[in-house]
Amino acid sequence: MPTATDEHRLILVTGATGYIGGSLLRPLVDAGYRVRAAARTPERLAGHVPEEVDVVGCDVLDSGQVTAALEGVDTAFYLVHSLGDSDRYAELDRNAALIFSAACREQGVRRIVYLGGLGANSGGRLSEHLASRQEVGRELAAAGVPVVEFRASIVLGAGSTSFEMIRNLVEKLPAMTTPRWVRMASQPIALADVVAYLVASVAVELEEGTSHRIYEIGGSDRVSYGDLMRLYAHARGLRRLVLPVPVLSPGLSGWWLYLFTPKQAKVGRQLAESPRFPTVVTDDSAARDFPGIHPIGAAEAMEQTLRIEDEEFARICWDEEYAGRTAPVSEERQGRYIDSRVLRVACPPEAAFDPIACIGGERGWYAFDTLWDLRGFIDILLGGPGRRRGRKDPFVLVEGDYLDWWRVERLDPPRLLRLVAEMRLPGRGWLQYELRRDGESTIVRQTALFDAKGVLGRLYWYSVLPFHHFVFNGTLQGVERECLALVSGPNTCPLPGAYDRSLERRASESE
């Protein structure tokens, strides 16, 4: 834990829009430090950093910007790289490290903390990617500012390049032919454990005269990429056949990755070189100097990653995420498919929420009910509830209520209604309504999310996607009609104040 003096230290986190940097900000704030987040495009951090964090623009290849960002900084986290940005990534990273270390010396920075790559240089056979990552550590120490360098293998956490590659391959391929490098030993580490080491590094005591301290960090067991694929498949309830082959070079593997993991392919082609060599911990200095950190194993880290991902998605406010976007949004994010649509309604949120709270059951979905009925009939044939459950109350919802084939997961009138699907699906589905007052009007955002399971899940999503334009737009237009009828007069709409009744019922049931 930081001391009273430590709490006044200013910490700079470069690469704050990146996977590790973005995950580090909140823990540093919670540890009591003052934090400054630096990014080449700071606009991307809007709404994604704790309010206590100061945000600055900083291109690490611009010495002026780097010097300005480091003003008053005690400890600087260097978490940037050019891999995937350019074929000259090694040269760019070398130059950026030299610029950064010189600026740290000029500004009197006490310590640089760097996260590099694990791997022993055996007979000059270290991959280009890992050689570059380790060179960056040496260049950061060149100006004389003490450097704490952590070397890690695969980081297991939703959003990391390695994890997303594993996710895409296992989800999209029922059977896989894997090259030899997929069987090479590695020591993956959970994201939470990496963050714990990084936070602790601010206060760790270094021996007098230490200019470059290297810690090798990894989980509690050694596994291969192939093992991780099997662990992911098990956690997701998927059956996958993995067929090892003695050929398929890293170059060919790059094209293989491009076909099935296009978002990670550019970086993946370089990462495919690394697993040809073991990436395991070879000394115990991290365990000795950070005795309070006990990294978990790969299986537990995999399950933890998927659980945390569910929690993070459940917390997302899609109205904020897609603020300013009036056109329908359709995208894939971390294996989940998203369809989000927005409507401005000329009435207050209380009036707009009433028809949303009364949706489904006998009132239907305000448009294309034949399509909803057809989908419900198919669900019944598959053994699901279909639409036959209807609703408990035609006007009121509380958390836990069923609604056709949905269940009310979250309810916060008149701001939020989140439904989780209980129909038979090759995956998991949610439907969320968010309402926000905007002057005299209300912004209503309807977001459908689908966590596709395997190939069948993806085929299902794309098969129903063409109907979303009619069904979801029709429902939103129906909500608009109903709420306008509510505000035009007490006798023009059959909805008798569902919002108020919802509050009354919630209050009575809580007593």
Side-chain angles (χ1 to χ4, degrees):
M1 293 293 293
T3 65
T5 303
D6 292 333
E7 291 176 358
H8 292 88
R9 292 175 176 172
L10 176 60
I11 311 297
L12 175 72
V13 178
T14 63
T17 55
Y19 170 65
I20 300 294
S23 302
L24 182 61
L25 300 175
R26 169 52 64 186
L28 284 171
V29 170
D30 290 345
Y33 296 115
R34 294 186 298 128
V35 182
R36 178 181 296 162
R40 187 167 50 187
T41 52
E43 298 81 12
R44 291 175 54 193
L45 291 173
H48 296 282
V49 300
E51 60 181 15
E52 304 93 333
V53 173
D54 178 34
V55 176
V56 298
C58 178
D59 183 340
V60 290
L61 289 169
D62 185 319
S63 60
Q65 291 186 20
V66 173
T67 300
L70 287 166
E71 183 176 356
V73 167
D74 172 85
T75 300
F77 283 89
Y78 191 80
L79 303 172
V80 296
H81 64 78
S82 302
L83 185 63
D85 294 338
S86 169
D87 292 336
R88 297 169 46 242
Y89 70 88
E91 177 186 349
L92 293 175
D93 282 347
R94 183 186 313 114
N95 293 338
L98 288 170
I99 290 171
F100 193 83
S101 62
C104 284
R105 181 184 60 192
E106 178 182 338
Q107 291 286 25
V109 172
R110 180 181 64 92
R111 177 176 299 175
I112 299 171
V113 180
Y114 168 62
L115 180 62
L118 191 61
N121 192 336
S122 177
R125 297 192 306 149
L126 203 61
S127 71
E128 181 182 2
H129 161 62
L130 287 179
S132 173
R133 302 306 294 146
Q134 295 185 10
E135 181 187 22
V136 166
R138 293 190 294 271
E139 299 295 357
L140 288 172
V145 178
V147 171
V148 175
E149 177 182 353
F150 292 100
R151 292 181 177 177
S153 181
I154 302 163
V155 177
L156 289 179
S160 78
T161 300
S162 295
F163 182 82
E164 294 305 322
M165 284 170 54
I166 292 168
R167 184 209 301 272
N168 276 279
L169 291 172
V170 176
E171 293 280 359
K172 296 177 181 179
L173 293 173
M176 292 171 279
T177 56
T178 57
R180 276 180 307 188
W181 57 260
V182 173
R183 303 190 294 279
M184 189 60 66
S186 66
Q187 201 160 340
I189 183 170
L191 171 64
D193 291 328
V194 173
V195 170
Y197 278 118
L198 292 174
V199 173
S201 70
V202 178
V204 69
E205 294 293 334
L206 299 179
E207 295 179 4
E208 187 70 27
T210 299
S211 62
H212 188 186
R213 187 70 175 91
I214 298 174
Y215 292 105
E216 296 183 349
I217 57 175
S220 61
D221 51 8
R222 297 181 178 184
V223 296
S224 66
Y225 256 93
D227 294 328
L228 290 175
M229 291 177 185
R230 295 182 185 91
L231 287 173
Y232 179 90
H234 176 75
R236 290 281 286 170
L238 296 168
R239 292 186 177 182
R240 291 295 181 260
L241 180 63
V242 179
L243 302 172
V245 293
V247 290
L248 200 60
S249 69
L252 290 174
S253 298
W255 292 108
W256 181 59
L257 293 172
Y258 181 80
L259 288 174
F260 298 102
T261 65
K263 292 183 180 180
Q264 295 82 34
K266 197 169 185 179
V267 176
R269 292 182 67 180
Q270 292 294 336
L271 294 181
E273 291 277 353
S274 303
R276 291 192 300 164
F277 316 103
T279 52
V280 296
V281 174
T282 58
D283 74 67
D284 63 353
S285 57
R288 183 186 66 245
D289 290 357
F290 301 95
I293 300 175
H294 305 283
I296 60 178
E300 186 179 352
M302 189 70 72
E303 294 176 357
Q304 182 185 84
T305 295
L306 295 174
R307 183 179 66 254
I308 292 174
E309 183 179 53
D310 279 350
E311 294 169 355
E312 290 177 345
F313 263 90
R315 287 195 297 266
I316 293 176
C317 174
W318 298 103
D319 183 50
E320 293 179 0
E321 195 76 9
Y322 298 132
R325 299 177 67 171
T326 57
V329 177
S330 182
E331 67 173 5
E332 178 187 357
R333 183 183 300 189
Q334 294 175 204
R336 285 167 166 81
Y337 292 91
I338 304 165
D339 183 305
S340 189
R341 298 160 190 268
V342 69
L343 178 72
R344 177 185 292 273
V345 184
C347 62
E350 291 78 6
F353 191 79
D354 267 0
I356 293 173
C358 296
I359 213 164
E362 292 184 3
R363 290 192 59 81
W365 294 78
Y366 302 132
F368 298 100
D369 271 1
T370 301
L371 291 177
W372 288 95
D373 289 338
L374 177 61
R375 182 62 185 89
F377 177 70
I378 294 172
D379 187 51
I380 291 173
L381 293 179
L382 295 173
R387 293 193 62 192
R388 56 188 169 184
R389 296 189 305 187
R391 299 172 50 119
K392 288 184 177 180
D393 186 294
F395 304 113
V396 178
L397 289 176
V398 295
E399 290 183 3
D401 273 358
Y402 54 73
L403 192 168
D404 294 341
W405 59 65
W406 305 92
R407 180 79 59 178
V408 180
E409 187 173 83
R410 284 186 60 195
L411 180 67
D412 183 16
R415 291 176 290 273
L416 173 69
L417 171 63
R418 180 180 172 91
L419 306 173
V420 59
E422 293 186 339
M423 62 166 61
R424 296 286 183 174
L425 286 170
R428 299 177 298 164
W430 294 266
L431 184 61
Q432 183 163 310
Y433 291 91
E434 296 165 289
L435 291 80
R436 168 174 52 89
R437 185 185 293 274
D438 187 25
E440 299 299 318
S441 301
T442 297
I443 303 299
V444 180
R445 180 166 289 279
Q446 175 186 260
T447 305
L449 299 100
F450 184 58
D451 177 18
K453 185 176 179 181
V455 178
L456 187 59
R458 282 154 177 77
L459 291 175
Y460 171 81
W461 174 258
Y462 286 111
S463 70
V464 300
L465 191 59
F467 298 101
H468 287 183
H469 172 77
F470 305 103
V471 173
F472 289 152
N473 280 352
T475 296
L476 280 178
Q477 291 165 5
V479 168
E480 182 179 31
R481 287 194 306 270
E482 297 287 342
C483 76
L484 291 178
L486 271 174
V487 298
S488 64
N491 300 317
T492 59
C493 180
L495 299 180
Y499 169 66
D500 294 330
R501 291 188 59 192
S502 175
L503 292 181
E504 291 172 4
R505 180 175 168 182
R506 284 167 61 91
S508 65
E509 292 187 352
S510 65
E511 292 177 353

